[in-house]
Amino acid sequence: MKLKAMILDEKAMKRTLTRISHEIIENNNGIKDIILVGIKRRGYPIAKRLSKNIENIEGIKLKVESVDISLYRDDLTKVSDNPLDLPMIKAANLIDVEDKKVILVDDVIYTGRTVRAAIDALIHLGRPRLIQLAVLIDRGHRELPIRADYVGKNIPTSKSEIVSVEISEIDKSDSVKIYEI
């Protein structure tokens, strides 16, 4: 893989997440009954950062949860010959979403299939009042009619490119890069 472009560095990512935090507050008339739910793996630390930003702005700490979409993917037979071998939803991931505003958080939206699986997982847990979607990067190429309510940056890409999001909590640095395959 060859590095094509650096899209966001650490400072730009921080500014972008701060802007998304303000948009969440403005579009929800405050933050009453909001739960941030990060899609594992990189969506969860991004959700935690959004919560911290909102706490700094509003003085109220939002609950942050994570959702594991393993059992809700539409390609289970590709992941494993026996879907029963996949990890089950852990008790820690049993989120009370009943009549709550849920903001689903992920690093990149691409085809929309990951988001669809996450929505299925949330609805399996209860009936949220509403679900909104916040993503750091929207790279296009949707295969399902899903769009994000909050987008950090729209990056038109080709299918031969990879968008790499690095989060310091996982990768020891913050950046968004595009690689050519």
Side-chain angles (χ1 to χ4, degrees), residues 10-28:
E10 182 179 353
K11 287 182 181 179
M13 189 181 293
K14 184 176 180 176
R15 282 191 307 271
T16 300
L17 292 175
T18 299
R19 179 177 44 78
I20 291 172
S21 301
H22 280 283
E23 289 174 3
I24 288 170
I25 294 164
E26 290 168 11
N27 291 340
N28 287 286

Side-chain angles (χ1 to χ4, degrees), residues 73-80 116:
R73 295 176 56 97
D74 59 7
D75 63 350
L76 280 179
T77 56
K78 294 176 188 173
V79 175
S80 171
R116 188 224 30 102

Side-chain angles (χ1 to χ4, degrees), residues 119-133:
I119 291 170
D120 286 349
L122 288 174
I123 290 173
H124 181 85
L125 298 170
R127 184 182 170 122
R129 184 175 336 141
L130 66 86
I131 299 173
Q132 296 175 339
L133 176 62

Side-chain angles (χ1 to χ4, degrees), residues 14-169:
K14 184 176 180 176
R15 282 191 307 271
T16 300
L17 292 175
T18 299
R19 179 177 44 78
I20 291 172
S21 301
H22 280 283
E23 289 174 3
I24 288 170
I25 294 164
E26 290 168 11
N27 291 340
N28 287 286
N29 298 319
I31 53 173
K32 188 178 178 192
D33 291 330
I34 291 178
I35 300 172
L36 297 172
V37 179
I39 299 174
K40 284 188 175 178
R41 182 145 185 241
R42 285 174 178 77
Y44 182 62
I46 292 172
K48 288 172 70 173
R49 289 184 191 191
L50 292 173
S51 176
K52 185 68 176 162
N53 288 344
I54 291 169
E55 182 179 9
N56 290 340
I57 297 164
E58 291 289 306
I60 299 170
K61 187 174 178 88
L62 295 182
K63 186 173 186 178
V64 180
E65 299 283 354
S66 66
V67 65
D68 183 348
I69 63 165
S70 298
L71 293 176
Y72 297 91
R73 295 176 56 97
D74 59 7
D75 63 350
L76 280 179
T77 56
K78 294 176 188 173
V79 175
S80 171
D81 289 335
N82 183 1
L84 297 177
D85 291 337
L86 293 173
M88 297 302 292
I89 296 174
K90 298 181 178 91
N93 286 334
L94 296 179
I95 307 162
D96 177 19
V97 298
E98 198 67 36
D99 201 36
K100 302 275 191 327
K101 292 180 182 179
V102 175
I103 299 179
L104 197 56
V105 181
D106 206 4
D107 57 346
V108 177
I109 186 168
Y110 183 35
T111 63
R113 292 183 183 277
T114 298
V115 173
R116 188 224 30 102
I119 291 170
D120 286 349
L122 288 174
I123 290 173
H124 181 85
L125 298 170
R127 184 182 170 122
R129 184 175 336 141
L130 66 86
I131 299 173
Q132 296 175 339
L133 176 62
V135 297
L136 181 61
I137 303 296
D138 184 340
R139 66 170 291 186
H141 304 285
R142 221 67 85 241
E143 295 175 3
L144 299 172
I146 293 174
R147 67 163 183 82
D149 299 282
Y150 311 101
V151 176
K153 192 155 184 75
N154 286 294
I155 303 173
T157 61
S158 74
K159 290 186 178 186
S160 67
E161 294 173 326
I162 293 175
V163 175
S164 172
V165 175
E166 293 183 349
I167 301 290
S168 61
E169 294 88 337

